[in-house]
Each structure stands twice: as structure tokens, then as C-alpha cells.
Amino acid sequence: LLLSFIMSSSSGMRVFIAGGTGAIGRHVVPRLLQAGHHVTVLTRSAERAETLRAKGVEAAIGSVLDASRLYETMRAVQPDVVIHLLTGLPASVMSMASLSDTDVLRTEGTSRLLNASVAVASVRRFMVRSVSFLSRPQRTARVLDETHPLYLRCPSAFRPLVKSVDALEKQVLSAGDELESIVLRYGFLYGRGTQYEVPGGSACEEALQQKLRIVGKGKAMWSFVHVEDAADA
């Protein structure tokens, strides 16, 4: 596991994180700092940048979609490891259309971040966040790992989402010998700052308001992971 590798490093490593202020990132950053590593977080917000700097984090203002600025930033940072945790999820996911920003970050954002990582000679490892709940349905196996195929022949409403995850994983895993590439498929996140936070998370509130639909006989299995366990992975 990538974070275990970073934590066990005898000397401080330079870690560049895209998505360091999100649900998982806000737990990853303090763990890395506590272990003595140098952390740079990419953010689009000047306000968030100031908050990060107050916590001892280097903050770089920019976007993964701005290829030239991203490259210049990473060339200045010279990271050993790049972690891609970006999503563009709304507070409440009520339709596939609301996931379009995340689809762009998984496809175009991953491409630009990966290209910059390959171009910066210091980068040795690239880790990306993926999801387990878009795996192809399997009636026999109860545990599916990152090698299980995605649900590419899914209903049409889900295809843009599945295709974006497929593109993300293929880009990273085909990066070549320049990088050690790692894909971690997480389940649905629960815990502080997630949609399944109790109380207050949007999914929990929708369940209480009877807005979450039960499909079929309600026997489907959902995979969950606590946000702090995801940060430790």
C-alpha cells in the first residue's frame, strides 16, 4: 500500500497531492506531516491555500486542467510521489448528470497530472483513487479486488461514469516503466465529511426523508469504507 510505503520511508519524501482538501485528502495530509514528509497540495482556492499553509502544508494554487501551469508547479516542487484524489462531487448526488465534473477530472485531469508526473524526473510513484462499486456484477465471489473487470456493459445511464473510471485506471496502469503506478478502488465513504456522515450527511438525510430508492428486492450489497481507513490505505 502506498501510504504504508511513504510512512516507512527513512527520510522525508516530497509528496504532491491533488485533492488534498477533499474527504480523503484532509485525513491523508496530517498523517504524512506527522510522519515527517514534505507535502504540497494543489488547490484552486487562495483561501484554502492560506488554511493549508497555516497547518504547515505547502500550497500551490492551480488546476489539474491547466497543463502548462501544472507542469511548472510540479517542476518546482520536484515530488517523489504524486497522489490523485480529485473528485468534483456535489453535496448530494441525485442524478448521473451531477457527476460530469468528476468524469472530467478522471479523464482529462488524470491525463494532465500523469503527463506532468512523467515529465518531472523526480516522480517515482503515482497513486490514484478509483471506486469498487462499478465492478462487473459477480454472483459467486463476495470479495472483488482491483483486478476484477469494470461493469462496461452497464445500463446506458451509468456508462459515462463507468467509462471515466475505466479511462482513469487504464491511463495510470499503462504509464510505462517511468512510474510505479497504483490504483486503489475504494467503496462508498462514510465518516466525517462524507455523504454518509451521521448525522448531517446528504445520503443519510435522504434516507431519513425516504428519498433513497430500494432497487428490486433490496438484496444488493454495497461496499463501504471508513474515510480514515481509506486515508490509511
Side-chain angles (χ1 to χ4, degrees), residues 175-180:
D177 297 334
E178 296 90 347
L179 295 175
E180 179 181 350

Side-chain angles (χ1 to χ4, degrees), residues 110-189:
T110 298
S111 175
R112 286 162 174 73
L113 191 58
L114 194 58
N115 288 340
S117 298
V118 171
V120 176
S122 64
V123 181
R124 292 183 285 158
R125 288 174 173 83
F126 188 100
M127 175 268 188
V128 67
R129 163 191 182 178
S130 187
V131 294
S132 64
F133 44 81
L134 295 176
S135 299
R136 189 176 66 195
Q138 174 62 268
R139 293 182 180 275
T140 56
R142 297 180 65 85
V143 178
L144 306 180
D145 62 16
E146 281 81 358
T147 65
H148 190 80
L150 294 172
Y151 191 16
L152 297 176
R153 295 184 178 180
C154 63
S156 58
F158 289 91
R159 281 177 195 155
L161 178 60
V162 178
K163 285 183 177 180
S164 71
V165 172
D166 185 47
L168 175 147
E169 293 190 358
K170 285 181 176 176
Q171 287 182 77
V172 173
L173 295 177
S174 63
D177 297 334
E178 296 90 347
L179 295 175
E180 179 181 350
S181 302
I182 299 172
V183 173
L184 292 180
R185 289 182 179 173
Y186 296 119
F188 290 98
L189 298 175

Side-chain angles (χ1 to χ4, degrees), residues 3 17 36 44 49 58 67-68 82 85 87 90 100 103 105 123 148 159 162 172 202 216:
L3 197 55
I17 305 179
R44 294 178 297 173
E58 289 292 329
S68 59
V82 174
L85 300 173
T87 62
S100 59
D103 292 343
L105 291 172
V123 181
H148 190 80
R159 281 177 195 155
V162 178
V172 173
S202 62

